[in-house]
Amino acid sequence: MAVDIIMPQMGESIFEGTITKWLKKPGDKIERDEPLFEISTDKVDAEIPAPAAGVLKEIKVPEGQTVPIQTVVGVIEAAGAAVVAPPPKAEAPKPAAAPVPTPVPPPAKPAVPKPAAVPAIPATAPLKAAPNGEKVRSSPLVRRLAREHQIDLAQLQGTGAGGRVSKQDVMAAVEAGTARAGAARAAATTAPLTAAPSAALRVPDAAALRDKMYFGEYEVQPMSIMRQRIAEHMVLSKHVSPHVYSLEEANLSDIVQLRASLKEKFEQEAGTKLTYTPFFLRAAAEALRAFPTVNASVDGTNIILHKECNIGVAVALDWGLIVPVVKRAEEKNFLGLARTVNDLADRARAKKLKPEEVTESTFSITNPGIFGGLVGLAVINQPNVAILGVGTIEKRPVVINDAIAIRSMVYLSLSYDHRVVDGAIAHQFMTHVKRTLENWTEPIL
């Protein structure tokens, strides 16, 4: 009996997925719930288990292709059914003599299609209905992107399932709007910025930039689906939020000694690793409660102050970056924070996260220090208004009571959205984090 393999829905607002890798090939035997293929969505990468035991009969959707949910991507011949092995491929006849190779010219650079013009709308204006009077079908993520970029969804031709407007449709419209804005600025610049005509502002052309990339010896590697999503997210964040940065230095000597003395006992009794991350989670949660402006989001001219502290923790993967979320961090004790963040990180590396575990963050933490980074100025994780960067913990000479001493120090950075967070609040927030870390009193067991 044939069993269809379908593209699953990995969340209420997810309507399509991209097959990034097939873990089996036609003819392979598979067990029920054995990982069969990997997918990438707007929110998370995941391994999809086999719906039945048997033999993989056919792959209908190849790697790299994006399809709507409920699409049949392959077929399994269930266990017990007769399976006909595919006939072997006929061997191509060998030529009598090898032809002389002809020099192959380098591939032509891909042409950039010109996006269609899309009218913009004010950020606070309501979304319109489609021209035929029907309601525009889109996800909450797509509607938020449209508002942030002032795109009228009613004017877009949806390419998703059932005519649904997808994120790719919105980003294409954004690129079209950026190109039009650049052309308008160039056309409006009728007078030079200085006395010299050559000083006029010129917006670089995409084709001209591409011409400067392809030279000498090079290798072209297409971006993975996750890398494309990261690129879109980072560009969006820089486009939306005016980034400002504040730095602080904290003395972690007491925490370093505490961790060193209780690390083995903690792992034996708690059954999980003792890292520095829960210490920073606790300090951040306490500071967020003291300064709720940092625990916020922006919707047009409205500031949304979140009551719970849902802290995203950036996890570096071999194939990219993902930010699982510790929900209601302010309600968890130290052990709860440690278990939660370790579990999320382990399942992120194993591609076992659920879509709801990477959404609804109100603040984020990134730790370049684990790779030896002294300090990092991170890009804000939208729709947050701030992100805390943690540098490496290392011993440095510091002045204590007019004497030079050696202490375990760490640099902390705060990247914040200046539309909402002012410098005074940012530095008070960082002082609160510093004070919590330097005067640690909470028991960890």
Short mmCIF file of all heavy atoms in Angstrom, two decimals, residues 28 75 85 114 120 131 136 143 176 193 203 216 242 267 274 296 308 310 314 318 323 328 331 404 428 434 443:
data_model
loop_
_atom_site.label_atom_id
_atom_site.label_comp_id
_atom_site.label_asym_id
_atom_site.label_seq_id
_atom_site.Cartn_x
_atom_site.Cartn_y
_atom_site.Cartn_z
N ASP A 28 15.44 2.89 -0.43
CA ASP A 28 15.92 2.67 0.93
C ASP A 28 14.78 2.21 1.84
O ASP A 28 13.64 2.68 1.73
CB ASP A 28 16.51 3.97 1.51
CG ASP A 28 17.87 4.29 0.93
OD1 ASP A 28 18.40 3.45 0.19
OD2 ASP A 28 18.38 5.39 1.21
N VAL A 75 6.51 9.31 -1.77
CA VAL A 75 5.63 8.16 -1.57
C VAL A 75 6.42 7.03 -0.91
O VAL A 75 7.56 6.75 -1.31
CB VAL A 75 5.02 7.67 -2.90
CG1 VAL A 75 4.14 6.44 -2.67
CG2 VAL A 75 4.22 8.79 -3.57
N ALA A 85 11.82 -2.95 -7.72
CA ALA A 85 13.01 -2.11 -7.76
C ALA A 85 13.09 -1.41 -9.10
O ALA A 85 12.74 -1.97 -10.14
CB ALA A 85 14.26 -2.97 -7.55
N LYS A 114 13.71 43.16 -13.36
CA LYS A 114 13.21 44.43 -12.84
C LYS A 114 11.87 44.21 -12.16
O LYS A 114 10.90 43.80 -12.78
CB LYS A 114 13.05 45.42 -13.98
CG LYS A 114 12.62 46.82 -13.49
CD LYS A 114 12.54 47.78 -14.64
CE LYS A 114 12.12 49.18 -14.17
NZ LYS A 114 12.01 50.13 -15.26
N ALA A 120 2.95 52.25 -2.21
CA ALA A 120 3.16 52.19 -0.77
C ALA A 120 1.99 52.82 -0.05
O ALA A 120 1.21 53.60 -0.60
CB ALA A 120 4.45 52.93 -0.39
N PRO A 131 -8.41 43.73 -4.94
CA PRO A 131 -9.22 44.43 -5.93
C PRO A 131 -10.56 43.78 -6.18
O PRO A 131 -11.52 44.47 -6.53
CB PRO A 131 -8.32 44.38 -7.19
CG PRO A 131 -6.93 44.27 -6.66
CD PRO A 131 -7.04 43.47 -5.42
N VAL A 136 -7.45 39.93 1.76
CA VAL A 136 -6.11 39.47 1.38
C VAL A 136 -5.68 38.36 2.33
O VAL A 136 -5.74 38.51 3.55
CB VAL A 136 -5.11 40.64 1.44
CG1 VAL A 136 -3.70 40.14 1.13
CG2 VAL A 136 -5.51 41.73 0.47
N ARG A 143 1.93 40.37 7.27
CA ARG A 143 1.25 41.66 7.53
C ARG A 143 2.15 42.61 8.29
O ARG A 143 2.15 43.82 8.02
CB ARG A 143 -0.05 41.40 8.28
CG ARG A 143 -1.11 40.68 7.45
CD ARG A 143 -2.47 40.73 8.11
NE ARG A 143 -2.54 39.92 9.31
CZ ARG A 143 -2.84 38.63 9.33
NH1 ARG A 143 -3.10 38.00 8.19
NH2 ARG A 143 -2.90 37.96 10.46
N ALA A 176 11.60 46.39 -4.92
CA ALA A 176 11.10 47.27 -5.98
C ALA A 176 10.98 48.70 -5.48
O ALA A 176 11.35 49.66 -6.16
CB ALA A 176 9.75 46.76 -6.48
N LEU A 193 25.70 68.75 -4.66
CA LEU A 193 25.74 68.99 -3.23
C LEU A 193 26.80 70.03 -2.87
O LEU A 193 26.71 70.69 -1.85
CB LEU A 193 26.03 67.67 -2.49
CG LEU A 193 24.99 66.57 -2.69
CD1 LEU A 193 25.40 65.33 -1.90
CD2 LEU A 193 23.62 67.04 -2.26
N VAL A 203 23.43 56.67 -6.25
CA VAL A 203 23.08 55.39 -5.66
C VAL A 203 23.67 54.28 -6.53
O VAL A 203 23.41 54.23 -7.73
CB VAL A 203 21.55 55.23 -5.55
CG1 VAL A 203 21.20 53.86 -4.96
CG2 VAL A 203 20.96 56.35 -4.72
N GLY A 216 38.94 37.42 -11.30
CA GLY A 216 39.95 36.46 -10.87
C GLY A 216 39.37 35.06 -10.71
O GLY A 216 38.45 34.65 -11.41
N PRO A 242 16.86 52.37 14.31
CA PRO A 242 18.10 53.14 14.42
C PRO A 242 18.92 52.59 15.58
O PRO A 242 18.57 52.76 16.75
CB PRO A 242 17.61 54.57 14.70
CG PRO A 242 16.24 54.41 15.27
CD PRO A 242 15.67 53.15 14.71
N GLU A 267 25.94 19.34 38.01
CA GLU A 267 25.63 18.42 36.91
C GLU A 267 25.14 17.08 37.43
O GLU A 267 24.27 16.45 36.81
CB GLU A 267 26.86 18.25 36.02
CG GLU A 267 27.25 19.54 35.29
CD GLU A 267 28.45 19.37 34.38
OE1 GLU A 267 28.98 18.24 34.31
OE2 GLU A 267 28.85 20.36 33.74
N LEU A 274 26.28 23.19 33.82
CA LEU A 274 26.29 24.50 34.46
C LEU A 274 27.14 25.44 33.61
O LEU A 274 28.36 25.35 33.59
CB LEU A 274 26.86 24.41 35.88
CG LEU A 274 26.99 25.75 36.63
CD1 LEU A 274 25.64 26.45 36.73
CD2 LEU A 274 27.59 25.53 38.01
N ALA A 296 10.22 45.74 25.15
CA ALA A 296 9.12 46.32 24.37
C ALA A 296 9.24 45.99 22.90
O ALA A 296 10.23 45.43 22.43
CB ALA A 296 9.08 47.83 24.59
N GLU A 308 5.62 39.88 30.32
CA GLU A 308 6.51 38.76 30.60
C GLU A 308 7.85 38.97 29.91
O GLU A 308 7.94 39.67 28.90
CB GLU A 308 5.91 37.43 30.16
CG GLU A 308 5.66 37.31 28.67
CD GLU A 308 4.28 37.77 28.26
OE1 GLU A 308 3.57 38.36 29.10
OE2 GLU A 308 3.90 37.54 27.10
N ASN A 310 10.31 37.22 27.86
CA ASN A 310 10.62 36.09 26.99
C ASN A 310 11.96 36.38 26.31
O ASN A 310 12.03 37.18 25.38
CB ASN A 310 9.53 35.88 25.94
CG ASN A 310 8.20 35.52 26.55
OD1 ASN A 310 8.12 35.11 27.71
ND2 ASN A 310 7.13 35.67 25.79
N ALA A 314 20.63 33.43 21.35
CA ALA A 314 21.20 33.06 20.05
C ALA A 314 22.04 31.79 20.18
O ALA A 314 22.90 31.70 21.06
CB ALA A 314 22.04 34.20 19.50
N ASP A 318 26.18 24.88 12.93
CA ASP A 318 27.15 24.71 11.85
C ASP A 318 26.65 25.30 10.54
O ASP A 318 27.43 25.65 9.66
CB ASP A 318 27.48 23.22 11.65
CG ASP A 318 28.24 22.63 12.83
OD1 ASP A 318 28.85 23.43 13.58
OD2 ASP A 318 28.22 21.41 13.01
N VAL A 323 17.45 31.50 17.19
CA VAL A 323 17.24 32.15 18.48
C VAL A 323 16.03 31.54 19.18
O VAL A 323 14.92 32.06 19.10
CB VAL A 323 17.06 33.68 18.32
CG1 VAL A 323 17.03 34.36 19.70
CG2 VAL A 323 18.18 34.27 17.49
N ARG A 328 8.91 33.42 29.78
CA ARG A 328 8.68 33.84 31.18
C ARG A 328 9.91 33.55 32.04
O ARG A 328 9.83 32.89 33.08
CB ARG A 328 7.44 33.15 31.73
CG ARG A 328 6.15 33.56 31.00
CD ARG A 328 4.92 33.02 31.68
NE ARG A 328 3.70 33.48 31.00
CZ ARG A 328 3.07 34.62 31.25
NH1 ARG A 328 3.56 35.45 32.17
NH2 ARG A 328 1.99 34.93 30.58
N GLU A 331 9.96 34.15 35.89
CA GLU A 331 9.27 33.25 36.80
C GLU A 331 10.08 32.01 37.15
O GLU A 331 9.70 31.25 38.04
CB GLU A 331 7.93 32.81 36.19
CG GLU A 331 6.95 33.95 35.96
CD GLU A 331 5.65 33.48 35.35
OE1 GLU A 331 5.55 32.27 35.05
OE2 GLU A 331 4.75 34.31 35.17
N ILE A 404 46.21 47.51 42.19
CA ILE A 404 46.01 46.72 40.99
C ILE A 404 45.77 45.27 41.38
O ILE A 404 46.56 44.68 42.13
CB ILE A 404 47.21 46.82 40.03
CG1 ILE A 404 47.37 48.27 39.55
CG2 ILE A 404 47.04 45.88 38.85
CD1 ILE A 404 48.57 48.48 38.66
N GLN A 428 21.27 52.87 32.54
CA GLN A 428 20.72 52.40 33.81
C GLN A 428 20.42 50.90 33.75
O GLN A 428 20.64 50.17 34.72
CB GLN A 428 19.44 53.18 34.13
CG GLN A 428 19.68 54.64 34.47
CD GLN A 428 18.36 55.37 34.71
OE1 GLN A 428 17.69 55.15 35.72
NE2 GLN A 428 18.00 56.24 33.77
N LYS A 434 24.96 44.78 35.55
CA LYS A 434 26.29 44.71 36.16
C LYS A 434 26.18 44.47 37.67
O LYS A 434 26.88 43.61 38.23
CB LYS A 434 27.02 46.03 35.88
CG LYS A 434 28.34 46.22 36.63
CD LYS A 434 28.86 47.63 36.37
CE LYS A 434 30.06 47.96 37.24
NZ LYS A 434 31.29 47.33 36.72
N PRO A 443 20.91 31.27 45.23
CA PRO A 443 21.49 29.91 45.21
C PRO A 443 21.23 29.23 43.87
O PRO A 443 20.19 29.43 43.27
CB PRO A 443 20.73 29.21 46.36
CG PRO A 443 19.46 29.97 46.51
CD PRO A 443 19.78 31.39 46.17
#
